[in-house]
Amino acid sequence: MRNEDPRPIRLKDYQVPAFDTHEVMLDIELDPKATRVHATLKMARNPASTDKKAPLKLDGEKLKLLEVKIDGEVLGANRYSVDEESLTIHETPEGDFTLETVTACAPEDNTALEGLYLTDGIYCTQCEAEGFRRITYYLDRPDNMAVFRTRITGDRKSEPVLLSNGNPVKKGKTKDGRHFVEWHDPFPKPSYLFALVAGDLGHVEDKFTTMSGREVTLRIFVEKGNEDRCAYAMEALKRAMKWDEERFGREYDLDIFMIVAVSAFNMGAMENKGLNVFNDKYILARPDTATDADYAAIEAIIAHEYFHNWTGNRITCRDWFQLCLKEGLTVFRDQEFTSDMRSRPVKRISDVRLLRAHQFPEDGGPLAHPVRPDSYIEINNFYTATVYEKGAELCRMIHTMAGPKRFRKGMDLYFERHDGEAATVEDFLNALADGAKLDLTQFKRWYWQSGTPEVLASGRYDAARKTYTLKMSQVCQPTPGQRVKEPFHIPVAVGLVGPDGKDIPLTLDGEEKPGAKTRVLHLTGREGTWRFKNVPEKPVPSILRGFTAPVKLDANLKERDLVFLMKHDSDSFNRWEAAQRYATNLLTRMVEAAKDGSTPRKGTAFAEMVHDLLSAKKIDPDFVAQIILLPSEQTLAQIIGQDVDVDAIHTAREALRLAIATHAKDALLSAYARMEVTGPYNPDAADAGKRALRNACLGYLAAAPGDEGVRLAAEQFRHATNMTDSIAALSVLSHIDCPEREEALATFHERWKDNHLVMDKWLAIQAMSSLPGTLDEVKRLTQHPAFTMKNPNKVRSLITSFASANQLRFHDAKGAGYRFVADKVLELDKLNPQVAARLLGAFKSWRQFEPKRRKLMQKELKRIAGTDGLSRDVYEIASKTLA
Ligand code: B3K
Ligand code: ZN
């Protein structure tokens, strides 16, 4: 906690470390109040450093220093200095030397959940990005890679399980009746990948034989009693291991791979070498406790962390500015994995939804930063949608431009060149350019220019010449610190759909033979023109198929073109996109009308589409569930972009839901009946898709006139045999003020009050309710035994759900929602700055709201920014949001 303005760290100031650490031996004696860490570091000056005189300055925070030795000799207090953030040894020997420190830390008091902490009696660590310095003094930076040996001593009763990275090499009893285990990790790694877990844990075990025939032991550790909820995670892990071998040629490298699930964790999971630590939300699943979405998230996150073993661990980042090197690439890899395991189009739609919901507002607001940022105050604030999701889109664009085969060649070269290194974005791009034979010179800009490019496309058909001329142009609005933008290299997949609904083969001017029906055009200048010949009839253009670039496209399409594409586009993504755009156009007109009291022109095409899709003989339920959903209130706010009136948006969207439900009621009822899944629960995409569609129908039916929807939801809630159906029904009821709602919430609570993960769902559902009393309810729930500010999942379920997923009630006209959330940010900042700063993100789009709300939000932001003793995390977000 600090008061003075913290200084930013800048990429341009990067220098190699003055010292190298070759080997690390950690001897850790666990104790809740005073864990003793004896660190022995084999070090030497780094020959690559130009600063030959620099003193040895080690990072360390919240540590009690008990002893310092160099080459066995205890150092007197005059030979080193210590402050709140570091230990400096004034003089070090020439050549190799051994530095020993003995320190103490207090896991029990660690509410920030960085470094070593206790959660439900389990010792656990989180070191990325800079948590290792809370365990021992160290050069805590990713380009300092060393081989670790870790000896953990703990109580035999309360910590029978003692885990760290690598392979176990020794175990035994100590004289005082405790026990120890020693681990050795042969792969040099940065300190952020260090992990330690100790406690009375149960586990499940399996095996995986790698492509070269090595047998790997797989273990998932959980709190005792939860072993029956790990099967899906284990299956997902084995599938991920196999997929990475087949798709990327990557084999696992240790004899054992372990995962531990804990209940208090700042994020989803962490890829520590050989010992991943997970938020238990992303491990534990049983049909009666986890939803289809939970299963899908478990599969994706297990894969993501596992994939880091190559993209992140074997090749790590030189510095934290390179974070996208491991995160963007690994997200791209996990997206591909999910696409192969489930439905590719549906995965693409949900990824783009996520990108637009989180990354676009970030890129268009005060917190905009490039995928590779050039400065930060607190690195934990940069684990953002831009680094992760836009970072993944950049990899996807390279993949699109290279095609799968050449992309693989590029990746192979990247692994070959940089295995065992701490690399940069440039290293990655050079390897991809060389291996995939691509010119990425201009493309590189995507990594350092922030902002979402806007692409304008318009076409003209020449009936006499049978040509179609497509013009595209790009602009990018200024973002903080970047006024002028150079043109991006934008790959745009394009198709032309003929009046018969079929794609026309695309032949560009100057080409002999007709080409493919979807082609990737490269918009590299501010403008570009392409002329297609042999186009027999006037087509409707389908631009940016598959969303080949993270841009905002205006394709200049008329309503009837959108309706046409909604029905006929062979590209599923663009079919969905046409429907979304149609609904968005309609809703924005309705919002305007709600504001000035006029009646908008009713667009019935969407309702007709819902009706027709549901009534069709053959349907793909998962896709239909996506296409019939209206854009969210947040999406609409974002598209409207200024003077947003949240009430008008809510009213308009509800009115359209009512219109659709009324028009398509019979089809909705019949699909609701037809999509019922019977038999044992299976979380696969086919069954999950049917449930998704059935529950989407239920949502609409609840909006239809009459109380049939409520009746159906109450019935579904009573008879549900799995959490997906149960929670979907509860969610529908949560927005309706009726006795069935209260009854269902009470029953749910009674049934699940001892299951913390299910209680999180119960909290979230109430926090997201559109009913007017929601804020009071949320305040009451902060006193409920299921809630505590000390557990990030609880905070996210109750408070973040309210602040970020309940636009209507967070933006209460009098500012009560803002006040409440700001109070919570300040309260949380004292406990867990990282999670507090995330929560504060709910204010990032404050400038887009109508003047009264804008003022109220600004007032709260100023109150936060003006508070003494803020963490770096909250200080950075508050000050940048206001700037
Ligand atoms: N690498 C971690 C995230 C660490 C966040 C630190 N604030 C999980 C992941 O992206 O796989
Ligand atoms: Zn990651």
Side-chain angles (χ1 to χ4, degrees):
M1 303 278 170
R2 62 204 57 235
N3 239 337
E4 75 279 15
D5 290 358
R7 264 190 328 178
I9 319 278
R10 295 183 199 285
L11 170 59
K12 68 175 174 35
D13 296 336
Y14 173 82
Q15 282 186 340
V16 299
F19 289 84
D20 271 339
T21 315
H22 303 296
E23 275 175 46
V24 179
M25 168 71 203
L26 296 173
D27 189 350
I28 303 179
E29 292 178 37
L30 295 170
D31 182 273
K33 288 220 170 318
T35 289
R36 216 178 110 95
V37 180
H38 181 169
T40 308
L41 314 179
K42 296 241 162 41
M43 304 189 75
R45 275 202 187 269
N46 179 1
S49 168
T50 48
D51 190 350
K52 306 284 179 210
K53 291 249 152 51
L56 173 56
K57 187 172 176 191
L58 301 160
D59 305 296
E61 282 172 21
K62 300 202 178 327
L63 296 173
K64 193 163 155 200
L65 180 62
L66 303 172
E67 190 171 75
V68 193
K69 280 188 197 168
I70 284 201
D71 290 335
E73 184 198 338
V74 178
L75 298 195
N78 59 332
R79 294 178 62 188
Y80 63 88
S81 43
V82 192
D83 64 21
E84 285 202 340
E85 293 180 344
S86 60
L87 161 67
T88 307
I89 318 277
H90 305 314
E91 271 178 52
T92 48
E94 293 292 312
D96 293 349
F97 63 91
T98 303
L99 172 73
E100 288 174 76
T101 59
V102 181
T103 51
C105 59
E108 193 178 67
D109 303 335
N110 184 348
T111 56
L113 313 186
E114 269 195 287
L116 177 64
Y117 64 95
L118 264 167
T119 153
D120 295 331
I122 297 162
Y123 287 92
C124 156
T125 55
Q126 172 54 35
C127 293
E128 188 176 1
E130 298 179 334
F132 191 70
R133 62 188 64 184
R134 290 165 182 239
I135 298 174
T136 188
Y137 286 103
Y138 200 71
L139 284 174
D140 192 13
R141 42 188 289 167
D143 55 357
N144 178 30
M145 296 169 83
V147 170
F148 280 64
R149 237 171 225 283
T150 306
R151 180 182 155 121
I152 315 166
T153 306
D155 185 85
R156 279 193 286 162
K157 267 229 177 76
S158 50
E159 294 105 37
V161 175
L162 301 169
L163 310 173
S164 191
N165 319 83
N167 302 310
V169 287
K170 229 193 250 171
K171 54 179 80 167
K173 284 186 196 142
T174 59
K175 282 193 207 112
D176 57 357
R178 291 171 40 109
H179 74 142
F180 73 89
V181 179
E182 197 173 305
W183 293 82
H184 174 243
D185 179 2
F187 292 95
K189 65 165 175 293
S191 47
Y192 83 85
L193 291 172
F194 170 81
L196 174 160
V197 174
D200 188 11
L201 296 159
H203 76 266
V204 296
E205 184 166 317
D206 209 326
K207 296 226 169 303
F208 179 81
T209 307
T210 68
M211 59 187 183
S212 72
R214 277 187 316 104
E215 199 166 82
V216 181
T217 302
L218 311 175
R219 284 198 190 127
I220 301 183
F221 293 86
V222 288
E223 256 178 58
K224 284 204 168 131
N226 282 337
E227 293 88 341
D228 67 332
R229 292 201 274 159
C230 303
Y232 188 75
M234 187 63 95
E235 285 308 309
L237 173 61
K238 289 192 285 180
R239 279 188 274 123
M241 293 177 87
K242 187 149 181 355
W243 183 90
D244 210 17
E245 292 183 344
E246 287 168 357
R247 179 78 186 266
F248 283 96
R250 298 296 111 198
E251 186 175 349
Y252 186 63
D253 49 12
L254 287 163
D255 301 334
I256 181 162
F257 184 77
M258 298 174 286
I259 292 176
V260 184
V262 297
S263 64
F265 206 61
N266 279 348
M267 59 264 174
M270 177 64 211
E271 71 264 23
N272 317 298
K273 181 78 190 188
L275 177 58
N276 289 357
V277 177
F278 270 64
N279 187 325
D280 58 3
K281 175 178 162 65
Y282 297 116
I283 293 290
L284 303 178
R286 223 173 43 198
D288 61 334
T289 61
T291 61
D292 291 330
D294 292 328
Y295 278 93
I298 289 170
E299 180 180 66
I301 297 177
I302 288 263
H304 178 97
E305 306 309 332
Y306 173 74
F307 297 156
H308 267 314
N309 192 51
W310 275 95
T311 48
N313 302 2
R314 294 283 293 244
I315 306 182
T316 194
C317 301
R318 187 194 71 173
D319 54 70
W320 291 120
F321 296 103
Q322 320 296 329
L323 187 57
C324 68
L325 178 70
K326 73 178 180 82
E327 294 305 347
L329 179 55
T330 306
V331 171
F332 170 70
R333 276 153 51 68
D334 84 53
Q335 291 175 345
E336 283 299 290
F337 170 70
T338 300
S339 306
D340 285 348
M341 296 295 121
R342 292 163 179 257
S343 150
R344 185 165 282 272
V346 170
K347 175 64 177 159
R348 190 66 190 132
I349 289 167
S350 77
D351 287 338
V352 175
R353 253 193 230 277
L354 188 80
L355 187 82
R356 286 178 173 159
H358 298 286
Q359 202 278 324
F360 280 19
E362 190 166 88
D363 231 354
L367 299 174
H369 53 275
V371 171
R372 183 172 70 186
D374 41 33
S375 94
Y376 59 77
I377 290 176
E378 170 52 61
I379 185 57
N380 282 325
N381 285 333
F382 284 79
Y383 288 74
T384 58
T386 297
V387 170
Y388 275 65
E389 269 71 40
K390 188 173 177 184
E393 291 301 318
L394 306 197
C395 295
R396 183 169 298 283
M397 283 193 279
I398 299 176
H399 183 267
T400 301
M401 294 189 295
K405 283 210 180 92
R406 278 162 54 206
F407 184 80
R408 169 71 193 266
K409 285 205 167 122
M411 286 298 295
D412 286 350
L413 187 61
Y414 173 61
F415 292 123
E416 198 183 304
R417 274 189 193 165
H418 299 291
D419 185 15
E421 290 179 7
T424 60
V425 166
E426 283 81 357
D427 291 333
F428 172 73
L429 291 170
N430 290 339
L432 263 290
D434 294 349
K437 304 217 176 328
L438 281 175
D439 180 358
L440 297 175
T441 323
Q442 185 187 352
F443 183 82
K444 288 179 185 170
R445 267 181 208 152
W446 280 102
Y447 283 87
W448 37 90
Q449 269 192 157
S450 54
T452 309
E454 292 158 34
V455 172
L456 193 70
S458 62
R460 205 171 39 82
Y461 181 64
D462 184 331
R465 293 200 173 81
K466 303 266 179 263
T467 59
Y468 185 83
T469 308
L470 179 67
K471 279 200 168 138
M472 292 197 279
S473 61
Q474 58 167 310
V475 287
C476 183
Q477 301 304 326
T479 51
Q482 288 186 351
R483 290 197 54 76
V484 183
K485 308 279 182 183
E486 297 299 323
F488 291 86
H489 178 170
I490 306 177
V492 186
V494 170
L496 296 179
V497 189
D500 58 354
K502 296 214 169 77
D503 282 341
I504 297 166
L506 304 178
T507 320
L508 281 166
D509 242 1
E511 289 176 345
E512 293 284 302
K513 287 194 216 128
K517 291 173 180 165
T518 299
R519 295 186 61 167
V520 177
L521 308 179
H522 295 263
L523 175 62
T524 51
R526 297 201 190 273
E527 280 180 7
T529 305
W530 292 263
R531 200 159 75 162
F532 298 100
K533 56 184 189 184
N534 306 333
V535 180
E537 279 171 287
K538 187 176 180 202
V540 176
S542 169
I543 319 273
L544 205 66
R545 283 185 158 173
F547 200 70
T548 46
V551 300
K552 292 183 181 167
L553 170 71
D554 179 355
N556 231 328
L557 292 180
K558 303 235 162 36
E559 197 172 299
R560 63 162 190 278
D561 296 333
L562 291 173
V563 173
F564 178 81
L565 291 178
M566 238 150 82
K567 289 202 182 114
H568 300 293
D569 204 319
S570 64
D571 181 71
S572 306
F573 177 84
N574 262 5
R575 241 184 111 188
W576 170 81
E577 180 77 336
Q580 287 289 300
R581 194 152 297 234
Y582 174 87
T584 306
N585 293 349
L586 177 60
L587 281 162
T588 42
R589 285 202 305 270
M590 289 170 74
V591 168
E592 281 313 306
K595 277 200 212 159
D596 64 23
S598 64
T599 350
R601 205 159 45 84
K602 279 248 166 58
T604 46
F606 198 91
E608 273 163 19
M609 175 195 74
V610 172
H611 178 275
D612 294 351
L613 280 172
L614 294 177
S615 316
K617 277 221 179 68
K618 240 186 94 219
I619 61 174
D620 173 2
D622 215 355
F623 177 73
V624 175
Q626 297 294 330
I627 201 170
I628 68 175
L629 278 190
L630 292 178
S632 69
E633 292 180 16
Q634 283 92 331
T635 305
L636 292 166
Q638 229 192 87
I639 288 170
I640 294 169
Q642 53 187 3
D643 288 328
V644 167
D645 176 341
V646 294
D647 298 308
I649 290 180
H650 180 74
T651 309
R653 193 171 179 278
E654 286 307 300
L656 183 56
R657 270 166 34 84
L658 169 69
I660 294 168
T662 311
H663 181 91
K665 189 163 175 195
D666 292 345
L668 287 161
L669 276 169
S670 119
Y672 181 76
R674 269 185 298 137
M675 288 299 132
E676 184 168 359
V677 184
T678 50
Y681 175 86
N682 184 340
D684 71 3
D687 279 9
K690 286 191 191 152
R691 281 186 288 270
L693 180 54
R694 184 165 185 259
N695 287 322
C697 292
L698 181 66
Y700 272 119
L701 287 166
D707 51 15
E708 199 161 1
V710 171
R711 192 180 54 71
L712 284 176
E715 214 167 278
Q716 174 169 322
F717 179 77
R718 274 195 292 276
H719 298 123
T721 54
N722 60 70
M723 185 51 78
T724 307
D725 289 338
S726 170
I727 212 81
L730 190 62
S731 160
V732 164
L733 291 173
S734 74
H735 299 290
I736 305 167
D737 189 6
C738 59
E740 288 86 345
R741 171 190 202 268
E742 301 316 313
E743 196 189 313
L745 282 169
T747 313
F748 194 88
H749 176 266
E750 195 43 39
R751 172 148 186 222
W752 296 114
K753 59 178 182 292
D754 297 326
N755 184 315
H756 66 276
L757 290 177
V758 181
M759 284 315 283
D760 288 349
K761 300 183 192 300
W762 182 78
L763 292 170
I765 283 229
Q766 295 176 82
M768 292 185 297
S769 165
S770 55
L771 292 182
T774 296
L775 175 58
D776 290 335
E777 201 51 49
V778 170
K779 286 183 179 165
R780 258 198 299 281
L781 286 169
T782 58
Q783 305 303 318
H784 190 279
F787 181 81
T788 159
M789 287 292 265
K790 290 204 173 144
N791 182 305
N793 283 0
K794 304 287 165 199
V795 173
R796 286 186 281 256
S797 297
L798 187 63
I799 305 180
T800 311
S801 296
F802 174 75
S804 298
N806 193 346
Q807 178 162 285
L808 184 66
R809 296 303 162 200
F810 172 57
H811 295 276
D812 162 78
K814 293 222 167 66
Y818 307 146
R819 214 156 35 241
F820 167 73
V821 175
D823 284 345
K824 291 293 155 193
V825 168
L826 289 171
E827 187 185 330
L828 195 55
D829 195 33
K830 302 256 177 276
L831 297 168
N832 188 330
Q834 215 179 114
V835 178
R838 286 266 149 166
L839 177 58
L840 182 53
F843 286 83
K844 69 171 173 291
S845 302
W846 65 280
R847 282 196 177 87
Q848 79 182 15
F849 294 93
E850 49 80 22
K852 253 175 63 194
R853 286 179 170 88
R854 206 185 305 157
K855 254 210 189 94
L856 290 164
M857 290 179 99
Q858 188 187 31
K859 190 173 128 205
E860 294 304 325
L861 279 164
K862 283 190 171 157
R863 174 161 74 94
I864 292 174
T867 302
D868 280 345
L870 284 184
S871 66
R872 266 201 311 254
D873 311 59
V874 167
Y875 168 83
E876 178 170 37
I877 302 293
S879 56
K880 288 187 175 169
T881 306
L882 279 166

